[in-house]
Amino acid sequence: MSSENADAVQEHEESSVWDVVVVGGGPAGASAAYAAAVAGRRVLLLEKAELPRYKTCGGGIIGFSRDSLPPGFELPLRDRIHAVTFSLNGRLARTRRSKRMLFGLINRPEFDAGLVEEAQKAGAEVRTGATVTRVEQHGASVPDRRTVAVVLSGGETVLARAVVGADGSAGRIGAHVGVKLDQVDLGLEAEIPVPATVAEDWAGRVLIDWGPMPGSYGWVFPKGDVLTVGVISARGDGAGTKRYLEDFTARLGLAGFEPKISSGHLTRCRSDDSPLSRGRVLVCGDAAGLLEPWTREGISFALRSGRLAGEWAVRIAESHDAVDARRQALNYAFAIKAGLGVEMSVGRRMLKLFERRPGVLHAVLTGFRPAWNAFAGITRGTTSLGELVRTHPLAQRALNAMDR
């Protein structure tokens, strides 16, 4: 074979291998695809559903989520929240208000589709209706040690220099990496259309109700003429969680309205020693078990971890041997643990406190202005749970005292 022909064959082989393949088109996957595409790499985003698609989610966009969006991304906000009503299993309700917006509310179908569109604008190719059955880093499907094979349900194999798994907590990529989970919760939610008079009562205000089961709470998020009403609690008492949602909806006077969607989902938090990579494969968002353990807030964790995964997937794609690929994967894990990992650690402590003493937490939030200011700072993104504990000795002492 002539040198020209050999070069042509090598060029064809290289062009058939993607730099980065991202599995999953939610906020984590779209953020990873965007980050890798902005870096000028050939990126393929695989999503098993057709977009837009419904996802069970309250849809709260806090400051950290807003700050992690692509430049110029216009949030499809359904409402802007300036007030929060807190209640303790329907009792002791108190509303705290703010002149500045606390956070915004979105519907996931249009939000997710918008993020995927941003990844496309950055240069990523998107394939919907593509179900991944497994990934292989060794074997006949893998031409060399720099390549990962992504096998689709129809038998097609897609080759990549690096893979980002963002296909949810029960996805194939997390199983390949060996993600370990130590907290699983059940969330139930209903999207309830309401008359204009009811919608006006809720405009600009959310309700957070500390529930009857340890660690449980409920919420009402207004989105125009629809209220998102949901509850969450530890998995294991599905009947109790369902009763909580029914009782919660009834006492709010919403039981007479027919939901247009009723759904449920499991949220899963990673254990401290859970891996975030395997070879040239990274995981982020729900696929990595990354979310805040107390509130179970996941959108900001998905956006932030997805961006980091996309950036480090580019470095892995550029790695010419397993040693350098491993080094980059460890750097990704360090970045996750140094930021989101710290927030999760504090969130676990807050959940344990909340499980034991929900009344104390309710009293502090509704009656102690510094606690309300801290809550507002977290929702706006000016601080985080980790920063509060690290920079405020009083918060650290209080948390330590309540731990005992």
Side-chain angles (χ1 to χ4, degrees), residues 84 86 96-98 102 365 368-377:
V84 181
F86 297 98
R96 305 301 301 258
R97 301 184 184 276
S98 171
L102 296 167
L365 268 175
F368 188 50
R369 178 161 290 277
W372 164 250
N373 291 340
F375 176 89

Side-chain angles (χ1 to χ4, degrees), residues 34 36 74 120 128 148 172 183 194 261 326 346 371 392 396:
Y34 175 85
E74 187 173 345
Q120 287 178 297
T128 57
V148 181
R172 303 286 186 177
Q183 177 186 327
V194 294
I261 298 175
R326 178 60 177 164
V346 177
H392 291 73
Q396 178 67 68

Side-chain angles (χ1 to χ4, degrees), residues 19-358:
D19 292 321
V20 178
V21 168
V22 179
V23 182
S31 296
Y34 175 85
V38 163
R41 297 302 180 266
R42 294 182 66 244
V43 180
L44 176 63
L45 173 61
L46 301 173
E47 165 58 42
K48 66 181 180 181
E50 297 295 336
L51 299 173
R53 81 287 187 261
Y54 180 78
K55 283 287 186 181
T56 304
C57 179
I61 301 295
I62 63 174
F64 284 121
S65 297
R66 183 195 61 239
D67 295 342
S68 301
L69 296 170
F73 182 83
E74 187 173 345
L75 274 168
L77 291 180
R78 294 291 178 166
D79 205 342
R80 292 169 169 81
I81 301 306
H82 289 79
V84 181
T85 298
F86 297 98
S87 62
L88 184 62
N89 197 21
R91 300 174 292 107
L92 305 174
R94 183 174 182 184
T95 300
R96 305 301 301 258
R97 301 184 184 276
S98 171
K99 293 181 180 179
R100 295 170 53 203
M101 186 179 83
L102 296 167
F103 57 97
L105 297 176
I106 52 92
N107 285 328
R108 282 289 301 275
E110 55 190 348
F111 177 68
D112 290 12
L115 289 174
V116 170
E117 185 178 341
E118 291 295 322
Q120 287 178 297
K121 290 178 182 177
E125 183 174 319
V126 177
R127 288 178 57 182
T128 57
T131 300
V132 173
T133 58
R134 66 184 186 278
V135 292
E136 298 178 358
Q137 301 195 61
H138 307 282
S141 299
V142 183
D144 57 61
R145 293 185 178 181
R146 290 187 60 210
T147 307
V148 181
V150 181
V151 183
L152 306 185
S153 58
E156 179 186 356
T157 297
V158 177
L159 301 179
R161 297 301 183 203
V163 171
V164 176
D167 53 341
S169 60
R172 303 286 186 177
I173 313 303
H176 173 79
V177 168
V179 173
K180 295 184 289 184
L181 307 164
D182 67 358
Q183 177 186 327
V184 183
D185 298 290
L186 170 64
L188 300 177
E189 193 170 77
E191 303 282 350
I192 305 177
V194 294
T197 52
V198 176
E200 289 170 6
D201 290 340
W202 287 97
R205 176 177 66 94
V206 302
L207 169 64
I208 297 176
D209 177 74
W210 313 119
M213 296 172 287
S216 67
Y217 76 95
W219 62 88
V220 178
F221 285 0
K223 300 171 185 176
D225 60 355
V226 173
L227 300 179
T228 297
V229 181
V231 300
I232 196 165
S233 67
R235 184 180 65 172
D237 187 4
T241 306
K242 184 179 179 181
R243 283 194 303 272
Y244 177 29
L245 178 60
E246 292 170 348
D247 294 344
F248 183 50
T249 304
R251 69 171 177 251
L252 292 171
L254 301 174
F257 302 113
E258 185 68 24
K260 66 175 183 179
I261 298 175
S262 294
S263 61
H265 71 294
L266 295 175
T267 64
R268 299 172 170 92
C269 291
R270 68 188 296 273
S271 59
D272 283 334
D273 62 344
S274 179
L276 291 163
S277 67
R278 177 180 174 184
R280 290 177 174 265
V281 178
L282 305 177
V283 286
C284 60
D286 286 346
L290 292 167
L291 70 157
E292 201 279 291
W294 174 35
T295 63
R296 290 81 158 186
E297 191 278 323
I299 294 179
S300 75
F301 278 67
L303 291 168
R304 287 181 282 174
S305 65
R307 185 189 69 246
L308 290 171
E311 293 170 352
W312 257 276
V314 168
R315 294 174 173 87
I316 290 174
E318 295 170 345
S319 300
H320 290 281
D321 56 54
V323 174
D324 189 40
R326 178 60 177 164
R327 182 183 303 114
Q328 301 305 334
L330 288 173
N331 287 338
Y332 166 68
F334 177 80
I336 291 292
K337 293 174 182 178
L340 300 180
V342 172
E343 292 180 37
M344 290 187 70
S345 178
V346 177
R348 287 189 182 94
R349 296 173 67 189
M350 289 297 299
L351 177 61
K352 289 179 180 179
L353 163 64
F354 174 52
E355 288 173 338
R356 296 201 315 265
R357 303 178 182 179

